[in-house]
Amino acid sequence: MGIFSAAKPESLMDLLHHNLKDLYDAELKVLETLTEMIAAASNDDLKAGLEQHRTETEGQVKRLEECFKEMDMEPERQARAGIDGIIKEGNKMLAEAKDDPALTDVCIIEASQKVEHYEIASYGTAKAMAIELGETAVAELLDATLKEEFKTDEKLTDIATKDVNPAAK
Ligand code: FE
Ligand code: FE
């Protein structure tokens, strides 16, 4: 299997479609992962932050569905190795650290930030494509989510440096 499991892309529009399907699959998987991480987290700020982001993520799924609608497409998922690998790696780290709550919190932040960076890269790329294609409404929807991903990443850095990393030393 190549980079794309669907038909070979032949235009920038095809690539935008691929990215929307990839993001739709990623967000739905992230929703499940966030639920598992909330259950495993000990630090109160971390738990609350992840809970807030799970609520945001539900909204992000809806935004992607809006994007599909804007482009006269049915919502469709397309699995990609990138996010699957990040989630798999995160699950492995969590399993290995599960007997130590402080280390578990560190691993949750590491795994979450890797997810956020994947999302930031993907939404940024898709937004630029949408702008180029004159898909203004789609670009605005993608930008709203991109801002949430940036904020989440910053908040996680904050919790890690102030609290969670020092507690795990
Ligand atoms: Fe997201
Ligand atoms: Fe996110």
Side-chain angles (χ1 to χ4, degrees):
M1 194 176 78
I3 296 174
F4 302 108
S5 55
K8 205 170 101 187
E10 282 169 1
S11 64
L12 188 62
M13 187 62 91
D14 286 348
L15 286 175
L16 176 58
H17 292 171
H18 280 297
N19 274 284
L20 292 177
K21 293 175 194 172
D22 163 31
L23 278 165
Y24 194 51
D25 184 67
E27 294 289 15
L28 288 168
K29 284 175 178 158
V30 166
L31 261 184
E32 280 173 43
T33 305
L34 277 168
T35 300
E36 289 162 20
M37 292 200 288
I38 290 162
S42 302
N43 178 280
D44 288 341
D45 289 343
L46 178 57
K47 238 185 210 308
L50 293 173
E51 265 162 15
Q52 192 199 324
H53 197 49
R54 182 172 56 184
T55 305
E56 283 174 346
T57 302
E58 284 164 357
Q60 295 174 354
V61 168
K62 294 217 169 71
R63 274 193 205 114
L64 285 169
E65 287 166 353
E66 279 294 305
C67 289
F68 284 116
K69 213 170 142 196
E70 281 290 333
M71 307 194 76
D72 292 319
M73 292 166 73
E74 285 299 315
E76 200 183 310
R77 296 175 67 162
Q78 183 178 290
R80 290 255 185 102
I83 191 70
D84 286 352
I86 289 170
I87 289 173
K88 197 173 159 196
E89 216 178 77
N91 285 337
K92 189 167 174 264
M93 277 196 301
L94 282 188
E96 285 167 358
K98 78 175 191 319
D99 296 329
D100 186 325
L103 284 184
T104 294
D105 281 352
V106 176
C107 291
I108 287 172
I109 292 182
E110 179 179 339
S112 303
Q113 288 196 285
K114 285 176 180 172
V115 168
E116 293 317 309
H117 281 251
Y118 181 88
E119 292 178 317
I120 288 165
S122 302
Y123 277 104
T125 300
K127 179 187 146 186
M129 290 176 180
I131 290 171
E132 185 59 39
L133 291 163
E135 295 285 348
T136 314
V138 172
E140 280 169 11
L141 287 160
L142 296 173
D143 185 61
T145 295
L146 181 60
K147 288 195 171 95
E148 289 175 351
E149 310 295 21
F150 269 123
K151 260 203 191 135
T152 302
D153 184 53
E154 274 170 25
K155 191 190 271 178
L156 288 166
T157 298
D158 230 49
I159 297 169
T161 51
K162 281 191 189 133
D163 235 353
V164 165
N165 287 351
K169 267 208 283 195

